[in-house]
Amino acid sequence: MELTAADVPALVRGAEVLGSGGGGDARAGGILVSRLLRGGSVDLLDPEASDPGLLVSAVGMVGATVVFTEQLPGGGEFTRALDAVQRWTGVRAGAVASVEAAGLNAATALVTALSAAGSPLPVVDLDLCGRALPRLDQFSLAVAGSDITPLALALPGGQVVVVDGGDAVTTERSVRSVLAGGGGWAAIAVGPRPLAELRRHALAGTTRRLLEVGRRLLALPDAPGPAAVAAAAGGQVLAAGRVLEVVRHRGAGEGGFGRGSLVVRDRATSALLRLEMENEYLLALADGDVVATTPDVLAVLDRRAARPVSCDRVRRGDDVVVLRLDAPRFWHEPARLDAVGPRAFGYDVDPVLPGVPA
């Protein structure tokens, strides 16, 4: 499959949905991809139909997405990170993939591929999250027991840092320390590894999923009903109505991330739906009962435009549709749920996943 500039709007819209309210501004990534494509294309490889020995590096952006979008990079940061981890390992990647096919990071593998010297690298249709997630120790590789190091960080000031050794939690802390003193964000490249390993420990088909979701949402008429929005996104309506309240608390969440909540009154039933949020929407309660949780995707969309509204942009009075989308099946196993379920974010409730048979 070839991706061209015509695919960018769908990529952005789908990435906003799978961002679950977070993951950064997908439009910024779309601008970068459009700028670099210039009438060209990138090959999107099916991981199951590709050579299992193909060496793939997962790439992306980590840190403060707000800082990233204030001054868009040129794309060279991603190739610097990739070059650094290739020098460190002595192994060259034959393709790249995204660390997180959602939000801003849905575009970073494409940016890296297009910024590579010579012909664009192919992009493998898999990622390490399947939705937006805030921490490196939540990468599917780490959760499955595989190493996420060595990895390289390319900082906006030009410095390159390689992190090797240590477990995933230690790596997460080390990377956050580097970001705190290096401009707030960095391009990241994980050391190349065989596609055969990523087939076992990554989430396949996520870019195709967000493209399909984006195309269906963009095809909707103005002011579609909640059911039409849910059908286009492939999700379930949790509520549709006005936002009554938004509360935010700085640094109250796990890892020092901000935390907050919002309340929506459903227009049809008058029920109150409360969403708990950190970097992403994580928990939904209907009249006090938990009805949906991470790792399922919880998305808030503007009712008239069917455009996702992020955690940092939702406001009192917004007219919205709240959806739940199934998490990738990778996260359904109990041992993996511990890493991305509510308790991983400090909420003492069991995961509620309606799409998973009891």
Side-chain angles (χ1 to χ4, degrees):
M1 177 181 180
E2 284 192 346
L3 295 180
T4 69
D7 297 305
V8 172
L11 179 85
V12 169
R13 185 60 57 92
E16 290 173 330
V17 173
L18 293 188
S20 197
D25 189 348
R27 292 172 297 179
I31 291 169
L32 277 174
V33 172
S34 297
R35 182 187 299 166
L36 292 167
L37 273 170
R38 294 174 183 169
S41 64
V42 176
D43 288 331
L44 183 67
L45 304 182
D46 180 345
E48 295 302 323
S50 301
D51 178 4
L54 178 67
L55 295 175
V56 183
S57 178
V59 297
M61 174 267 179
V62 291
T65 57
V66 172
V67 177
F68 179 96
T69 53
E70 285 177 351
Q71 184 174 2
L72 290 180
E77 296 83 356
F78 299 99
T79 51
R80 285 206 304 273
L82 179 60
D83 289 345
V85 82
Q86 290 178 142
R87 287 196 303 273
W88 183 264
T89 60
V91 176
R92 294 200 66 81
V96 292
S98 176
V99 295
E100 177 187 61
L104 172 64
N105 268 327
T108 50
L110 298 173
V111 172
T112 307
L114 289 162
S115 302
S119 300
L121 286 170
V123 175
V124 182
D125 187 11
L126 53 75
D127 80 308
L128 308 184
C129 296
R131 50 156 293 153
L133 291 168
R135 305 197 309 266
L136 274 65
D137 57 303
Q138 292 173 316
F139 283 177
S140 60
L141 286 174
V143 175
S146 187
D147 291 333
I148 62 171
T149 59
L151 60 81
L153 304 171
L155 302 171
Q159 307 95 328
V160 174
V161 177
V162 174
V163 180
D164 200 357
D167 61 22
V169 173
T170 302
T171 301
E172 161 70 14
R173 291 172 180 162
S174 299
V175 168
R176 296 296 164 186
S177 296
V178 171
L179 296 178
W185 73 273
I188 183 173
V190 179
R193 60 196 68 208
L195 178 57
E197 178 184 349
L198 293 173
R199 285 178 181 174
R200 297 192 303 272
H201 300 325
L203 296 92
T206 43
T207 297
R208 280 181 171 83
R209 182 189 186 189
L210 64 86
L211 283 167
E212 290 167 2
V213 168
R215 288 173 183 140
R216 291 194 300 263
L217 286 172
L218 289 171
L220 290 173
D222 291 339
V229 175
Q236 168 198 3
V237 178
L238 298 180
R242 294 281 180 184
V243 176
L244 300 183
E245 178 183 66
V246 179
V247 177
R248 294 183 175 89
H249 306 285
R250 287 185 175 272
E254 293 294 301
F257 297 121
R259 179 166 283 183
S261 65
L262 64 97
V263 176
V264 177
R265 184 188 298 278
D266 185 77
R267 186 173 287 104
T269 66
S270 295
L272 298 179
L273 184 82
R274 188 170 92 242
L275 290 179
E276 294 291 332
M277 58 187 177
E278 202 170 271
N279 284 17
E280 297 82 29
Y281 301 117
L282 299 172
L283 198 70
L285 303 95
D287 288 337
D289 295 325
V290 179
V291 293
T293 68
T294 177
D296 276 357
V297 172
L298 302 177
V300 177
L301 290 84
D302 176 84
R303 186 182 66 82
R304 291 177 176 82
R307 180 169 187 167
V309 183
S310 63
C311 295
D312 58 349
R313 291 184 180 274
V314 67
R315 297 290 186 269
R316 180 181 177 183
D318 287 350
D319 193 2
V320 300
V321 178
V322 183
L323 303 180
R324 181 199 65 80
L325 283 70
D326 288 344
R329 295 199 64 81
F330 179 91
W331 295 120
H332 293 175
E333 293 188 15
R336 294 170 179 171
L337 275 175
D338 290 343
V340 294
R343 289 190 175 87
F345 298 91
Y347 296 102
D348 190 18
V349 299
D350 294 327
V352 175
L353 304 174
V356 180

